[in-house]
Amino acid sequence: MFKIKDLLIQNGIKPTFQRIKILEYLQKNDTHPTVETIYSDLYKKVPTLSKATIYNTLDIFRKHSLVNVLTISETEMRYEFNHGPHHHFQCRVCGKIVDVEVECPHSMKPVLEGYILEEVHSYFKGVCRNCNTAQSA
Amino acid sequence: MFKIKDLLIQNGIKPTFQRIKILEYLQKNDTHPTVETIYSDLYKKVPTLSKATIYNTLDIFRKHSLVNVLTISETEMRYEFNHGPHHHFQCRVCGKIVDVEVECPHSMKPVLEGYILEEVHSYFKGVCRNCNTAQSA
DNA sequence: ATGACTGCAAAATATTTGCATATTC
DNA sequence: GAATATGCAAATATTTTGCAGTCAT
C-alpha cells in the first residue's frame, strides 16, 4: 500500500508529500516526462507544488538511482522511474519516447582497457508505428 | 588544400570565412566541443565571430550531416565532425569525451515492428584510463 | 522543538531570434 | 548588385540558487 513511501524511507529519504507524489507519478507514467509535464500534471492534485521542488526532488532521486535521467531530447531533460536496464526510442514526428528492450552486448571493455564502465545509454530515433501508418494512410 | 571549402560547396553551402573556420575546427579537434569551447578557441583567429553564427552554422552543418550533435552532456550540446558511425564515452572525473568503436548489433528491428529506425546513439559513462590510474597512484 | 523541506522569485546558463550591416558570388 | 550571412543585443527556455516560512518526526 505505501510502497512508494517505504521505498523513500528505505533509501533514507524523508517521505514528504511532494516527494511521494512525484515518485508515484513517475512510477505510474512511463512517458518519460519533462519537469514541465510533471509540474502541469501534478499541479492539479498538489497546487502548492513548485518547479524548484521538482528539480530538487528529482536530483535526490537520481542520486539514489530511483529515477533515470534521459538526455535523448535536445532541449530538455526527461525523467523515468528506474525499472532496470533498457533503451529508448524517440519518434521524430510525435516526439513520444518509448522503452525498447534490446539484446546488445555493448562490448566496450575489450576496446577500452583500463576504463571503468559505469553507465550504458542507448537511444534510437526515427518514426514510431503510429506515425508511420498514419502517414501511409 | 581547400578540402573544407570544397566540402561546403559540394553540399550547396556558401563557403564563408566563418563556416570554413568552424568546420575546419571540428575536423581538426576530436574533442566534441561545446559551442562555448568553439567560440573561445576560434575567437583568437576570428575576433568578429559571434555565438549566434556558430549556432546557425552548426545547425546548417547538422542538416547536411556534416556534423553530429551529441546529447551526452546534461547541460549543453556537444558537436563533432561526422566521421562515420561510432559511440562515445564520457569520463565522470575529467569530463572528456572520447570515441568508442563498438560492435553492437542494435537489433531493435525485431523488437519494434513497424518502426522506422533512422538514428542510433549510444554512449557510456565511467572513469577514463587517465583518471583511473591517477586515482590509484 | 528542531532540523530539513518547500515555494517564491531572482539568478545563471544555454539557445534562439530580429534586424541592421557586411560579405559572397 | 542582389542575395545571403554575420554580429549584436534582446528574448526565450531551462535549470539553479537564496532565503523566509512551513512541515515532518
Side-chain angles (χ1 to χ4, degrees):
Chain A
M1 192 59 176
F2 287 128
K3 220 171 71 180
I4 290 292
K5 185 171 177 177
D6 293 343
L7 186 56
L8 291 176
I9 294 172
Q10 283 166 26
N11 280 273
I13 303 170
K14 198 174 283 186
T16 68
F17 184 64
Q18 290 82 348
R19 290 174 178 176
I20 292 170
K21 286 301 172 191
I22 292 170
L23 193 52
E24 251 177 23
Y25 178 86
L26 286 172
Q27 192 196 35
K28 288 178 186 167
N29 297 278
D30 57 353
T31 51
H32 317 84
T34 62
V35 166
E36 180 63 37
T37 306
I38 298 171
Y39 178 75
S40 312
D41 287 355
L42 280 183
Y43 188 80
K44 303 161 192 165
K45 292 182 178 175
V46 192
T48 68
L49 188 66
S50 84
K51 281 188 192 173
T53 298
I54 298 178
Y55 278 107
N56 289 337
T57 300
L58 290 173
D59 211 47
I60 294 169
F61 289 170
R62 181 230 299 250
K63 282 174 187 156
H64 288 267
S65 298
L66 294 175
V67 306
N68 297 323
V69 182
L70 313 186
T71 60
I72 187 171
S73 163
E74 288 171 7
T75 50
E76 77 268 297
M77 308 255 244
R78 303 294 195 120
Y79 297 85
E80 68 172 3
F81 191 86
N82 183 356
H83 49 85
H86 61 277
H87 299 326
H88 299 95
F89 177 95
Q90 182 170 39
C91 176
R92 160 168 63 77
V93 179
C94 65
K96 280 183 192 153
I97 298 173
V98 297
D99 291 346
V100 180
E101 305 305 329
V102 182
E103 286 96 49
C104 175
H106 290 302
S107 52
M108 196 192 69
K109 282 164 195 160
V111 179
L112 293 179
E113 302 279 353
Y115 281 58
I116 301 171
L117 180 59
E118 294 175 340
E119 294 177 39
V120 175
H121 300 258
S122 286
Y123 60 88
F124 310 94
K125 296 194 180 188
V127 182
C128 73
R129 196 184 313 149
N130 279 346
C131 294
N132 188 17
T133 52
Q135 281 178 331
S136 318
Chain B
M1 192 57 177
F2 288 128
K3 219 172 72 180
I4 290 291
K5 186 171 176 178
D6 292 343
L7 186 56
L8 291 176
I9 295 171
Q10 282 165 28
N11 280 274
I13 303 170
K14 199 174 282 187
T16 67
F17 184 64
Q18 289 84 347
R19 289 174 178 176
I20 292 170
K21 287 300 173 191
I22 292 170
L23 192 52
E24 251 178 23
Y25 178 86
L26 286 172
Q27 192 195 34
K28 288 178 185 166
N29 297 276
D30 56 353
T31 52
H32 317 84
T34 62
V35 166
E36 181 63 36
T37 306
I38 298 171
Y39 177 76
S40 312
D41 288 355
L42 280 184
Y43 188 81
K44 303 161 193 164
K45 293 182 181 177
V46 192
T48 67
L49 189 65
S50 83
K51 282 188 192 172
T53 298
I54 298 178
Y55 279 106
N56 289 336
T57 300
L58 290 173
D59 212 47
I60 293 169
F61 289 170
R62 183 230 299 251
K63 283 175 185 155
H64 289 266
S65 297
L66 293 175
V67 307
N68 298 323
V69 181
L70 313 184
T71 60
I72 187 171
S73 164
E74 288 172 8
T75 49
E76 78 268 297
M77 309 254 244
R78 304 295 195 119
Y79 297 85
E80 68 172 2
F81 192 86
N82 184 356
H83 49 86
H86 59 279
H87 300 326
H88 299 95
F89 178 96
Q90 181 170 38
C91 176
R92 161 169 62 78
V93 180
C94 65
K96 279 182 194 153
I97 297 172
V98 297
D99 291 345
V100 180
E101 304 305 330
V102 183
E103 284 97 50
C104 176
H106 290 303
S107 52
M108 197 192 68
K109 281 165 196 160
V111 179
L112 293 180
E113 301 279 353
Y115 281 58
I116 301 172
L117 179 60
E118 293 174 342
E119 295 177 40
V120 175
H121 300 259
S122 285
Y123 60 87
F124 310 94
K125 296 195 180 187
V127 183
C128 73
R129 197 185 311 152
N130 280 347
C131 294
N132 188 17
T133 53
Q135 280 179 333
S136 318

